[in-house]
Amino acid sequence: MAAPAARADGSDAALAAALADVPDLGRLLEVDPYLKPYAPDFQRRYNRFSQTLDNIGKNEGGIDKFSRGYESFGVHRCADGGLYCKEWAPGAEGVFLTGDFNDWNPFSYPYKKLDYGKWDLYIPPKPNKSLLVPHGSKLKVVIRSKSGEILYRISPWAKYVVRESGNVNYDWIHWDPEQPYKFKHSRPKKPRSLRIYESHVGISSHEGKIASYKHFTCNVLPRIKGLGYNCIQMMAIMEHAYYASFGYQITSFFAASSRYGTPEELKELVDTAHSMGITVLLDVVHSHASKNSEDGLNMFDGTDSCYFHSGPRGTHDLWDSRLFIYSSWEVLRFLLSNIRWWLEEYGFDGFRFDGVTSMLYHHHGIGASFSGDYHEYFGLQVDEDALTYLMLANHLVHTLYPDSITIAEDVSGMPALCSPISQGGGGFDYRLAMAIPDKWIQVRLYVIKEDCTHGAKMLTATLKCIAYAESHDQALVGDKSLAFWLMDAEMYTNMSVLTPFTPVIDRGIQLHKMIRLITHALGGEGYLNFMGNEFGHPEWLDFPRKGNNESYHYARRQFHLTDDDLLRYKFLNNFDRDMNKLEERCGWLSAPQAFVSEKHEGNKVIAFERAALLFIFNFHPSKSYTNYRVGTTLRTFKIVLDSDAAEYGGHQRLDHNTDFFSEPYEHNERPSSLLVSKVFNIFSLNSSDWEEFFIYFMAR
């Protein structure tokens, strides 16, 4: 079927105008001709981005200066020892600074009102030139609202906040150490293949407590390096008052969470990761903010419209949180400066943007089901203010640090989200392939790739994906990890190597390896694993809360299980390590997509080639095969990874010393083929209790 030349209400002239305005739009339309009717949409999006960038240049001296808001807003020590303070509070009638330094007198240091809702204050040093507000002092911004109410607030630009024992709210601590941390190591180059270890500092210990940045640096970073991951995605770093929110209800956007330690200790963590050649991404939350007002951004100036939309539009119905008004000049300054802050101050190498689907659409994805029909991604339902912000953020990140990485958490599959901005795209490097883990959980063991319409097939050409079998979402209480789905209660009783394999444990261990390998090798252009799941972490993840009597029992990662030589967890850990090491050597994630030559629904055999490797999977619960013919373009073969090997908890049924040779015998659209002497099923015992097994192929 030929792609339509223009939208029904469009014209060749509209297409020509779009191609003239958007520098590289032609490349996008060449890759995916089915986007041609939407060329005017890409034109409008690109023009909005360009106009906003031009306006920033004309009014602020460029995005470089604009994104340095943290250098003037908030509280800063001057060269003379004085203090310069600045806030944006358009709804306030008066603004004051108070704290330890003035015995909490609320009105002794008033700010001066400036244009555009800004306020500033200069406080001279003491007569002896010593600091009036030393490092570690407690501060508050005092707001007199238009109704006359006096409000005590934490500056939106606060760099450090703490909650002392017994307190409900956080306190703002003036963070200005005499000897700040100095980075010793340069940033690593952008990885050719991205293997991400999704991490949460607080749960990184096996003890029932909140772990520290120091603990993660000393104990977890070496594990990550040893497992062959080259990237860490750090969750719950931006300060959040509610620990159980997993870091997704941000209260202080510029403050690294104090529950794990100090800002200097986080910098040491990032620097140490860099010394190991590990890229570090921040899970950044710009899709919404906590509704907290006394220690959050909400109602900062006494109005509901300072940083957020006013009224119902400013609240996310499902998340019970506030929604940014991305068209606001000062909100753009705040968010872009926040992006730069984490890059410059802490040395992060990029971001995983949370909640991008919620940002992209006015309906926030609530009640929406995305079928892949392109009309769902264009039109009035798209929030183009938010899209413009995302394009600006990506432009800023990649301009500052060309080796930086941005990943979009988008379930909708917005076309061109991962295409360059010059093509009218969103500018992201990758999108999370969020349907893959959902499908694995839905069908437990089915291979994932679904038949799609021609439009969804073309979508794969405009998106680079991070594939994963499970992330933190699948580990949360109410769900189960893959290992728990597969083995459940027997993980408590039958994981010892001193006891014989049970059918459930045997089945679970073999499937766990195969599911992760096929997702890694076939799923996308990057791979992600949530910490601990590489060795089949037992149980779910549940943070301390009233519902579990504030227990930390499930808010931890039991790494000691994989260190115990008498437990079978070591087998899964070994396989995950060697799977990553093989990818590092062969680079299938950065290679072109695989050619799937075999997807036999009756035999349950899947075979595909990628990066000069031939992958063969037999998912049949009871049948093994002899002299099984597999199509290939390769000539000589040797086994390089065998899920049935003893070190991975397998049954050692293959001879690794044998070389294999293909024949010039065409098979399954491949010019040559290989006659595999043995293709074993995944179990040592026949299983009769398996549901019917279907094979799906999903265009990401």
Side-chain angles (χ1 to χ4, degrees):
M1 181 189 297
R7 195 186 297 208
D9 58 354
S11 65
D12 290 340
L15 177 60
L19 290 168
D21 274 1
V22 186
D24 297 320
L25 179 59
R27 295 185 185 180
L28 177 66
L29 301 184
E30 184 178 335
V31 171
D32 188 351
Y34 288 94
L35 287 173
K36 192 175 291 186
Y38 304 97
D41 295 86
F42 287 108
Q43 178 189 26
R44 184 177 62 256
R45 294 173 181 183
Y46 180 81
N47 285 343
R48 285 179 63 119
F49 159 78
S50 296
Q51 289 165 8
T52 305
L53 194 62
D54 287 346
N55 287 339
I56 290 172
K58 292 173 184 175
N59 296 289
E60 300 283 350
I63 196 169
D64 179 78
K65 184 178 178 181
F66 188 60
S67 61
R68 295 177 183 269
Y70 53 82
E71 293 181 350
S72 58
F73 285 85
V75 174
H76 302 273
R77 184 185 0 164
C78 301
D80 63 359
L83 214 63
Y84 180 73
C85 314
K86 189 176 183 181
E87 299 294 344
W88 178 63
E93 283 294 311
V95 179
F96 310 85
L97 186 71
T98 188
D100 294 334
F101 74 100
N102 70 343
D103 295 324
W104 295 98
N105 183 324
F107 306 120
S108 61
Y109 285 95
Y111 285 65
K112 180 177 66 175
K113 189 172 185 178
L114 307 174
D115 293 334
Y116 308 112
K118 298 172 189 173
W119 304 75
D120 76 350
L121 165 68
Y122 172 72
I123 303 176
K126 291 181 179 180
N128 63 2
K129 301 299 182 181
S130 64
L131 298 176
L132 181 66
V133 182
H135 169 65
S137 300
K138 291 184 179 179
L139 297 171
K140 286 280 189 179
V141 173
V142 181
I143 301 289
R144 181 188 288 128
S145 72
K146 290 184 177 179
S147 66
E149 188 178 7
I150 302 300
L151 307 169
Y152 287 80
R153 296 288 189 251
I154 291 175
S155 170
W157 305 82
K159 299 179 179 66
Y160 191 57
V161 297
V162 300
R163 182 161 57 191
E164 296 179 345
S165 180
N167 287 358
V168 174
N169 296 320
Y170 275 78
D171 290 316
W172 171 19
I173 305 297
H174 179 53
W175 193 260
D176 186 24
E178 286 295 326
Q179 295 182 327
Y181 184 87
K182 292 184 178 179
F183 287 90
K184 305 175 184 67
H185 305 282
S186 58
R187 300 170 185 266
K189 293 292 184 181
K190 181 186 291 188
R192 180 187 63 166
S193 300
L194 203 59
R195 302 181 299 275
I196 304 173
Y197 198 80
E198 188 181 32
S199 304
H200 186 292
V201 170
I203 66 170
S204 63
S205 166
H206 71 274
E207 299 179 77
K209 64 178 185 180
I210 298 176
S212 66
Y213 295 125
K214 282 281 190 182
H215 171 85
F216 193 94
T217 301
C218 296
N219 297 284
V220 184
L221 282 180
R223 287 186 183 273
I224 295 171
K225 178 66 175 177
L227 283 166
Y229 291 93
N230 57 15
C231 180
I232 305 172
Q233 180 177 297
M234 302 206 68
M235 308 175 60
I237 295 298
M238 301 167 74
E239 191 60 89
H240 49 292
Y242 185 42
Y243 187 44
S245 76
F246 227 141
Y248 292 120
Q249 293 277 341
I250 306 300
T251 45
S252 291
F253 284 76
F254 286 82
S257 182
S258 60
R259 54 172 55 86
Y260 318 128
T262 68
E264 311 313 300
E265 289 166 342
L266 174 58
K267 293 173 187 178
E268 181 185 30
L269 188 163
V270 174
D271 197 24
T272 305
H274 286 169
S275 75
M276 299 176 175
I278 297 174
T279 295
V280 188
L281 306 181
L282 176 69
D283 197 350
V284 69
V285 186
H286 283 179
S287 50
H288 64 131
S290 168
K291 289 180 75 173
N292 286 19
S293 55
E294 293 199 23
D295 56 2
L297 202 58
N298 189 29
M299 303 288 291
F300 173 68
D301 65 352
T303 72
D304 73 339
S305 58
C306 186
Y307 285 89
F308 310 107
H309 288 287
S310 182
R313 188 181 175 188
T315 301
H316 195 291
D317 292 336
L318 291 184
W319 297 342
D320 193 31
S321 53
R322 297 305 312 277
L323 296 171
F324 288 104
I325 178 166
Y326 299 104
S327 60
S328 165
W329 193 259
E330 293 303 325
V331 170
L332 281 180
R333 186 198 308 276
F334 180 80
L335 294 177
L336 290 172
S337 297
N338 191 234
I339 289 291
R340 184 163 193 161
W341 168 257
W342 293 107
L343 290 171
E344 302 275 15
E345 183 71 13
Y346 286 94
F348 282 97
D349 304 299
F351 304 94
R352 178 262 201 189
F353 280 75
D354 175 69
V356 168
T357 304
S358 176
M359 298 173 71
L360 288 175
Y361 307 97
H362 292 296
H363 53 61
H364 308 299
I366 300 174
S369 106
F370 295 95
S371 65
D373 192 317
Y374 277 1
H375 81 272
E376 297 167 340
Y377 307 111
F378 302 94
L380 296 178
Q381 67 265 33
V382 177
D383 187 340
E384 294 194 346
D385 292 331
L387 183 55
T388 299
Y389 162 67
L390 291 171
M391 294 169 75
L392 287 167
N394 277 306
H395 171 77
L396 175 67
V397 170
H398 292 111
T399 299
L400 289 174
Y401 298 101
D403 278 340
S404 58
I405 297 166
T406 59
I407 302 171
E409 190 216 21
D410 171 41
V411 72
S412 75
M414 167 72 78
L417 190 64
C418 298
S419 296
I421 293 171
S422 63
Q423 295 180 8
F428 284 97
D429 295 296
Y430 299 92
R431 167 185 167 265
L432 291 177
M434 300 177 70
I436 292 179
D438 292 342
K439 182 62 79 172
W440 276 127
I441 296 302
Q442 176 188 342
V443 297
R444 307 288 178 86
L445 60 144
Y446 299 175
V447 179
I448 311 169
K449 269 213 177 262
E450 67 194 13
D451 267 331
C452 296
T453 64
H454 56 261
K457 285 180 181 175
M458 293 307 299
L459 194 60
T460 64
T462 61
L463 291 174
K464 289 199 299 182
C465 292
I466 303 294
Y468 55 103
E470 51 186 336
S471 70
H472 72 274
D473 287 324
Q474 286 71 45
L476 291 172
V477 64
D479 203 339
K480 296 180 182 180
S481 67
L482 270 177
F484 223 45
W485 274 116
L486 293 168
M487 295 177 278
D488 217 324
E490 288 204 23
M491 296 187 76
Y492 298 117
T493 57
N494 297 320
M495 288 296 280
S496 171
V497 298
L498 301 178
T499 61
F501 262 133
T502 66
V504 168
I505 294 297
D506 188 11
R507 176 178 74 183
I509 285 179
Q510 313 316 327
L511 275 171
H512 193 272
K513 292 178 290 185
M514 294 172 70
I515 286 172
R516 296 170 78 80
L517 177 57
I518 200 168
T519 302
H520 201 310
L522 190 61
E525 292 72 33
Y527 178 75
L528 177 143
N529 164 64
F530 178 62
M531 62 188 307
N533 285 357
E534 68 276 4
F535 63 85
H537 195 284
E539 303 172 338
W540 50 83
L541 181 63
D542 190 14
F543 288 89
R545 53 188 174 84
K546 289 183 179 179
N548 64 13
N549 296 318
E550 304 295 335
S551 171
Y552 284 87
H553 180 73
Y554 296 109
R556 59 196 181 114
R557 296 281 94 178
Q558 301 180 62
F559 289 111
H560 63 288
L561 295 176
T562 193
D563 298 332
D564 191 332
D565 207 41
L566 296 179
L567 295 178
R568 291 187 166 107
Y569 295 101
K570 65 180 181 179
F571 298 138
L572 300 178
N573 194 76
N574 292 344
F575 185 80
D576 196 80
R577 176 199 64 211
D578 291 350
M579 175 177 67
N580 281 324
K581 298 287 187 181
L582 181 62
E583 196 289 324
E584 183 176 10
R585 194 164 89 234
C586 300
W588 63 68
L589 289 172
S590 58
Q593 269 297 310
F595 182 91
V596 181
S597 60
E598 179 93 1
K599 46 183 187 291
H600 199 289
E601 199 164 309
N603 293 344
K604 317 303 183 197
V605 171
I606 298 172
F608 58 89
E609 290 175 306
R610 192 176 186 187
L613 292 170
L614 176 62
F615 296 83
I616 305 174
F617 294 81
N618 179 7
F619 281 98
H620 203 287
S622 59
K623 289 184 180 180
S624 298
Y625 304 98
T626 58
N627 297 325
Y628 198 95
R629 188 168 294 280
V630 178
T632 181
T633 58
L634 308 174
R635 296 296 299 165
T636 306
F637 300 87
K638 194 173 188 67
I639 294 174
V640 291
L641 186 64
D642 174 16
S643 66
D644 198 43
E647 61 266 35
Y648 310 138
H651 302 288
Q652 310 174 65
R653 293 171 290 186
L654 294 176
D655 182 2
H656 290 203
N657 295 317
T658 302
D659 288 337
F660 303 88
F661 302 93
S662 64
E663 306 170 275
Y665 184 91
E666 186 176 350
H667 184 71
N668 283 346
E669 302 181 47
R670 302 274 86 182
S672 302
S673 59
L674 175 71
L675 199 61
V676 184
S677 57
K678 296 177 182 179
V679 181
F680 286 106
N681 67 300
I682 56 178
F683 313 114
S684 59
L685 302 173
N686 289 345
S687 301
S688 59
D689 59 340
W690 282 92
E691 62 266 42
E692 186 64 27
F693 190 85
F694 299 95
I695 297 173
Y696 291 89
F697 285 92
M698 179 196 320
R700 299 174 317 285

